[in-house]
Amino acid sequence: MSDAIKHECGIALLRLKKPLAFYKEKYGSAFYGIQKMYLLMEKQHNRGQDGAGFASIKFDIEPGERYISRVRSNKAQPIQDIFDQINDRINEALEQHPEYQDNVDLQKENLPYIGELFLGHVRYGTFGKNSIESVHPFLRQNNWMHRNLIVAGNFNMTNVTELFNSLVELGQHPKELADTVTVMEKIGHFLDDEVTDLYQECKNNGLSKREASPVIAEKLDVAKILKRASKGWDGGYAMAGLLGHGDSFVFRDPAGIRPAYFYEDDEIVVVASERPVIQTTFNVPFEKVQELLPGNALIIKKNGTVSQQEIITPSIKKACSFERIYFSRGSDAEIYQERKELGKLILPAVLEAIENDTDNTVFSFIPNTAETSFYGMIEAANDFLNHRKNQFILDNRKTLTKEKLEEILSVKIRTEKIAIKDAKLRTFITEDSSRDDLVAHVYDVTYGVIKPNDNLVIIDDSIVRGTTLKKSILRMMDRLNPKRIVVVSSAPQIRYPDCYGIDMAKLEGLIAFQAAIELLKERNQYHIVEEVYQKCKAQEKLKDAEVVNFVTEIYKPFTDTEISNKIAELLHPEDIKAEIKIIFQTVANLHLACPKNLGDWYFTGDYPTPGGNRVVNRAFMNFYEGKDARAY
């Protein structure tokens, strides 16, 4: 994605099922869990670079001893910073106490971060906040071990204000209006209720508070707590929680919007946001890693039992298709094939744009994450070229000379590495004019491979705002003097904001929306904007379930091609010579390529939860009213 947008978060939960001495004996270190957590988090750094956090819990610690450790960072390299801090603390303790070196019991008792249960998080701040207080995991502390709650997640709630007000009705006084804090406090409230009820039951049976503690740990019904807490939640989420005594859970939204995968054997239970992260870290095959079902929670009791329980009745699965197009690492076996298929399926539109002239066309990609789709496009282009060769040979087989045949067979699809991102360049100057000049040089180009009459085809993952295209990429490509530049998006036109984790909150920032508005103006149909505004305004007091997405009417007068052509016009810098064409994937082809991830609301406006319709209408009203504000 040449346009930088902030997106997604990643979670990693690890539960060690054996005593620490087992890992010391088998793997050479009682720090096995910490080492694996580093890998789980580092291999998900693509999901978040604004902040990272780590928490651990020790089991069966005597009262008065520290059993919960947490470290968070919002430094430039937060994952590295976290584990540097952990290593420094552990090494310092080992230097001061050499007797800890080979004694697992002393290590567990005295060293921070070592334990049996771990939670990690990598973060992009979708609300633009990057203070350390906004970095997960969040901790809700209590002197009762069972009431300690640690929460981290990959989620956004569309109805934060409503959830906040429900906490106030419960008698709480939340410290801020943020979905993470609100969700944690909601879970915490019903956790407190459950612990209180179980304690009363123990008390009625004549148990002391100390005797009641292990009974509460055994009987605590995590599924019941989550069912009560999640009533009224509207959003996409994969959230993980640790309870102080050792229970843990990962809970996924009923539409399966946000991803979560898990693996269990007799040594560990592990959960992560991406499947290949687990495969690589623990060297397990693809088929052994399971997807957490929508609306379900994976619940790991302190005694080691693991269950997947339905918390909310699943709705129609609308897993985020952007995961497949861009966000998740392409090393996943299914995602790799899906991205190749996206490239293959868009080739017919590319051929039309270059008038089938593959001989005078150079194919390339930008940025590196589009490389897999590029491979698919080239495979399809080679199939096209081979078919054309074979047809020519069949049609001319009686007159074809050996020299002509060799000439035909030697023709190949031309591919080059055209764009190279200068990772060292930083747009550090704040004045707009100076900054624009620097942005124009974020990419270097490869000279000498484009001929004067060539088409240049560049495939990108997606086009969101088009800013980098206009200010940098197209200008740089034009220096190569192609006849025509064809920019290909492996994703459809992004027409609507996301409200479930991706930082696309404002309609006016989307180039497809800008194109539709310009077309309405040009064709004297701008009255539709006023009509849509009035329809959105009339729904403000309706319940979410009754709200309709009227913003779709902005696009209805136009074909996809008309909007694509207008986007090309808007993004065409005045000072370049080449003809510019922009091609987008169709939604139908997206679903063919990614049949398991049908969430497409940013392309179609078909939001998987009622709150999504309210968000898109609010975003449109903000645009109409000139408010520079988020819609959620």
Side-chain angles (χ1 to χ4, degrees):
M1 186 180 294
S2 54
D3 280 327
I5 64 168
K6 293 186 175 182
H7 57 84
E8 296 311 280
C9 295
I11 56 172
L13 184 148
L14 176 62
R15 164 65 195 277
L16 305 183
K17 296 170 77 173
K18 303 280 191 182
L20 292 184
F22 170 87
Y23 304 95
K24 169 74 172 174
E25 177 68 25
K26 184 171 182 178
Y27 300 105
S29 173
F31 308 137
Y32 172 85
I34 296 173
Q35 293 163 353
K36 291 299 185 183
M37 284 298 294
Y38 171 72
L39 289 173
L40 288 168
M41 292 174 66
E42 189 59 58
K43 290 186 176 297
Q44 292 186 94
H45 75 269
N46 57 297
R47 304 188 70 83
Q49 298 165 32
D50 281 349
F54 171 99
S56 64
I57 293 179
K58 305 173 191 279
F59 290 177
D60 305 318
I61 295 296
E62 289 297 315
E65 299 294 332
R66 188 179 184 89
Y67 61 98
I68 294 177
S69 296
R70 180 180 63 151
V71 58
R72 299 180 293 174
S73 174
N74 59 350
K75 297 285 181 66
Q77 294 181 308
I79 300 172
Q80 192 65 50
D81 182 50
I82 281 171
F83 285 94
D84 283 347
Q85 291 184 55
I86 291 171
N87 286 335
D88 288 347
R89 288 279 306 278
I90 291 174
N91 288 334
E92 181 183 352
L94 290 175
E95 286 174 9
Q96 293 175 358
H97 299 276
E99 68 273 19
Y100 297 169
Q101 242 354 303
D102 296 310
N103 190 316
V104 174
D105 291 335
L106 287 177
Q107 288 177 355
K108 178 176 175 179
E109 184 180 338
N110 294 286
L111 298 182
Y113 306 112
I114 194 171
E116 290 89 355
L117 183 57
F118 306 89
L119 178 60
H121 188 264
V122 293
R123 170 185 188 270
Y124 268 120
T126 53
F127 282 87
K129 296 177 182 177
N130 195 30
S131 65
I132 197 68
E133 290 80 12
S134 299
V135 177
H136 304 208
F138 284 70
L139 173 60
R140 189 178 191 263
Q141 291 181 292
N142 195 286
N143 273 347
W144 279 62
M145 184 179 281
H146 320 86
R147 296 180 192 235
N148 280 287
L149 175 64
I150 304 170
V151 171
N154 171 14
F155 63 91
N156 266 5
M157 297 296 176
T158 68
N159 59 338
V160 180
T161 302
E162 180 184 321
L163 296 174
F164 179 91
N165 291 336
S166 71
L167 286 175
V168 174
E169 291 299 315
L170 290 170
Q172 292 194 20
H173 190 91
K175 62 181 181 179
E176 62 177 299
L177 183 64
D179 54 4
T180 310
V181 172
T182 305
V183 164
M184 182 176 68
E185 291 300 333
K186 198 79 180 288
I187 297 171
H189 172 82
F190 291 106
L191 172 62
D192 289 346
D193 269 5
E194 182 75 2
V195 171
T196 299
D197 290 346
L198 287 171
Y199 170 65
Q200 191 60 48
E201 181 183 314
C202 291
K203 186 178 178 182
N204 293 341
N205 291 330
L207 298 180
S208 69
K209 289 181 179 179
R210 185 158 189 171
E211 290 169 332
S213 187
V215 176
I216 293 172
E218 187 66 30
K219 290 189 174 183
L220 197 67
D221 190 339
V222 177
K224 179 182 174 183
I225 294 166
L226 293 175
K227 286 175 183 178
R228 296 178 71 191
S230 60
K231 286 181 180 177
W233 288 1
D234 188 294
Y237 48 86
M239 65 179 67
L242 314 181
L243 307 185
H245 66 277
D247 285 357
S248 57
F249 65 87
V250 178
F251 178 25
R252 194 177 182 200
D253 67 85
I257 296 169
R258 299 272 70 90
Y261 297 87
F262 70 95
Y263 167 76
E264 179 191 8
D265 59 24
D266 61 346
E267 295 182 10
I268 59 153
V269 185
V270 58
V271 187
S273 294
E274 298 186 27
R275 177 170 27 214
V277 171
I278 298 174
Q279 287 183 254
T280 302
T281 301
F282 293 95
N283 191 27
V284 296
F286 175 93
E287 62 275 8
K288 293 288 186 182
V289 182
Q290 300 180 59
E291 183 177 4
L292 180 58
L293 297 174
N296 278 241
L298 188 75
I299 297 171
I300 309 163
K301 291 292 290 179
K302 195 253 184 180
N303 63 16
T305 60
V306 180
S307 62
Q308 186 172 186
Q309 299 186 44
E310 184 178 297
I311 306 301
I312 303 176
T313 302
S315 56
I316 297 171
K317 189 178 180 184
K318 291 287 185 177
C320 175
S321 56
F322 251 126
E323 286 284 346
R324 321 303 277 189
I325 297 166
Y326 174 70
F327 293 146
S328 293
R329 292 164 77 96
S331 54
D332 183 282
E334 288 185 343
I335 291 175
Y336 183 80
Q337 293 303 324
E338 289 169 7
R339 289 182 183 174
K340 284 186 69 176
E341 193 65 18
L342 287 169
K344 289 179 182 178
L345 290 171
I346 207 165
L347 182 74
V350 174
L351 292 173
E352 184 179 343
I354 63 173
E355 300 167 342
N356 290 339
D357 184 11
T358 55
D359 293 350
N360 295 298
T361 300
V362 172
F363 293 85
S364 193
F365 58 90
I366 189 169
N368 287 343
T369 49
E371 188 173 5
T372 307
S373 295
F374 168 75
Y375 290 147
M377 181 173 68
I378 296 308
E379 279 188 16
N382 279 319
D383 289 344
F384 166 80
L385 181 60
N386 290 335
H387 176 76
R388 191 174 68 179
K389 287 179 182 179
N390 292 337
Q391 192 62 51
F392 183 88
I393 292 168
L394 284 172
D395 292 343
N396 298 275
R397 59 186 180 277
K398 293 182 180 179
T399 58
L400 204 59
T401 65
K402 179 182 177 183
E403 291 76 16
K404 186 63 177 177
L405 179 61
E406 289 176 349
E407 179 187 335
I408 292 167
L409 293 177
S410 68
V411 175
K412 295 180 180 179
I413 295 294
R414 296 165 62 195
T415 63
E416 302 289 351
K417 176 76 170 177
I418 292 292
I420 304 156
K421 191 166 188 178
D422 190 340
K424 302 183 189 71
L425 193 65
R426 296 289 182 268
T427 52
F428 56 89
I429 298 175
T430 57
E431 292 82 6
D432 287 344
S433 58
S434 301
R435 178 179 289 275
D436 287 352
D437 183 59
L438 281 173
V439 168
H441 294 86
V442 167
Y443 287 91
D444 290 333
V445 289
T446 305
Y447 293 95
V449 295
I450 302 293
K451 299 172 187 175
N453 200 42
D454 278 345
N455 301 302
L456 175 57
V457 174
I458 299 283
I459 190 167
D460 194 350
D461 306 289
S462 59
I463 300 169
V464 186
R465 295 180 292 267
T467 307
T468 309
L469 267 180
K470 184 171 185 174
K471 292 185 176 180
S472 176
I473 295 170
L474 291 175
R475 282 196 167 93
M476 297 294 284
M477 298 299 119
D478 191 58
R479 294 180 184 182
L480 302 175
N481 296 313
K483 174 182 71 175
R484 178 187 294 129
I485 301 171
V486 181
V487 180
V488 183
S489 169
S490 69
Q493 297 166 4
I494 299 169
R495 299 181 171 190
Y496 305 94
D498 183 78
C499 52
Y500 305 117
I502 307 169
D503 193 19
M504 297 190 300
K506 299 176 183 178
L507 268 171
E508 60 268 28
L510 306 177
I511 189 63
F513 181 76
Q514 296 172 27
I517 293 297
E518 287 302 311
L519 287 171
L520 289 172
K521 291 176 181 176
E522 290 174 6
R523 301 185 186 184
N524 296 319
Q525 293 178 289
Y526 200 74
H527 60 90
I528 292 174
V529 173
E530 170 70 26
E531 292 164 5
V532 170
Y533 174 73
Q534 294 300 336
K535 290 177 180 178
C536 293
K537 195 75 175 172
Q539 296 186 107
E540 279 192 297
K541 294 183 179 179
L542 296 180
K543 295 178 179 178
D544 281 356
E546 300 171 336
V547 175
V548 175
N549 176 6
F550 284 114
V551 183
T552 57
E553 296 181 9
I554 295 295
Y555 299 96
K556 280 183 181 176
F558 316 114
T559 65
D560 291 356
T561 301
E562 287 175 318
I563 293 175
S564 293
N565 291 341
K566 176 53 69 173
I567 291 171
E569 184 182 321
L570 292 175
L571 296 183
H572 194 302
E574 294 179 1
D575 55 346
I576 75 170
K577 302 180 292 294
E579 177 191 354
I580 303 297
K581 289 193 174 185
I582 297 183
I583 297 169
F584 289 87
Q585 188 73 264
T586 66
V587 173
N589 279 346
L590 171 69
H591 290 169
L592 281 175
C594 308
K596 295 181 180 180
N597 282 49
L598 300 177
D600 59 7
W601 53 92
Y602 15 70
F603 310 126
T604 64
D606 181 16
Y607 286 87
T609 76
N613 291 334
R614 182 174 296 283
V615 166
V616 68
N617 287 344
R618 179 70 262 172
F620 184 81
M621 288 189 287
N622 287 344
F623 154 75
Y624 185 89
E625 295 167 0
K627 293 181 179 177
D628 184 19
R630 300 180 66 89
Y632 61 92

